[in-house]
């Protein structure tokens, strides 16, 4: 089982940027397809983006396409989410996770996430 630790969240104004990081420990990180999810008010987590094991393929939710970029560094066991042109509707707790199904099916294990708050 992998262990996940997200960081990089914060409070920003609309139009600004943030970069989230997720360090993964445990089994071979490079074997895992990875994804980012977010949870605003309510029980449902929303898929944000995913990336293949070597980083050559990525997939995005329509709501973030063109503004967010997912990347990974397999030498650092880290997956990133660059978020540009942030909007208040992007406010949520952001989580990373390994995927058991492409492009957006996560394993049922979650870390605490990192809070992103975007003010208007």
């Amino acid at each position: 089982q992998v262990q996940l630790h997200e960081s990089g969240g914060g409070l920003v104004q609309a139009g600004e940027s943030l970069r989230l990081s997720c360090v993964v420990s445990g089994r071979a990180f490079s074997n895992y397809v990875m994804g980012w999810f977010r949870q605003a008010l309510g029980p449902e987590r929303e898929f944000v983006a995913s990336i293949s094991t070597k980083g050559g393929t990525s997939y995005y939710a329509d709501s973030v396409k063109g503004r967010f970029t997912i990347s990974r560094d397999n030498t650092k066991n880290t997956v990133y989410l660059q978020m540009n042109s942030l909007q208040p509707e992007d406010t949520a707790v952001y989580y990373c996770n390994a995927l058991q199904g492409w492009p957006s099916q996560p394993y049922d294990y979650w870390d605490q996430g990192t809070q992103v708050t975007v003010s208007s």
Side-chain angles (χ1 to χ4, degrees):
Q1 183 175 350
V2 298
Q3 294 180 328
L4 311 162
H5 179 69
E6 303 92 345
S7 63
L11 172 63
V12 297
Q13 293 187 336
E16 295 184 340
S17 300
L18 280 174
R19 188 175 84 152
L20 306 183
S21 299
C22 172
V23 178
V24 181
S25 59
R27 296 184 181 180
F29 171 74
S30 60
N31 291 339
Y32 285 98
V33 176
M34 295 297 299
W36 284 95
F37 298 79
R38 65 188 181 186
Q39 184 174 12
L41 296 177
E44 296 295 324
R45 281 190 185 90
E46 173 191 18
F47 167 77
V48 175
S50 54
I51 189 166
S52 58
T53 55
K54 291 182 171 60
T57 301
S58 57
Y59 185 82
Y60 297 92
D62 287 342
S63 58
V64 306
K65 201 173 295 182
R67 300 188 297 124
F68 290 11
T69 302
I70 188 171
S71 61
R72 66 190 295 162
D73 185 339
N74 286 349
T75 66
K76 297 181 178 179
N77 281 18
T78 302
V79 60
Y80 303 98
L81 185 68
Q82 177 67 43
M83 306 186 296
N84 298 331
S85 301
L86 282 161
Q87 299 301 316
E89 53 265 34
D90 296 315
T91 295
V93 178
Y94 284 71
Y95 303 86
C96 71
N97 206 337
L99 300 186
Q100 58 179 321
W102 180 264
S104 59
Q105 185 181 2
Y107 287 99
D108 190 20
Y109 172 79
W110 301 94
D111 190 52
Q112 293 182 345
T114 185
Q115 175 72 49
V116 172
T117 303
V118 185
S119 63
S120 57

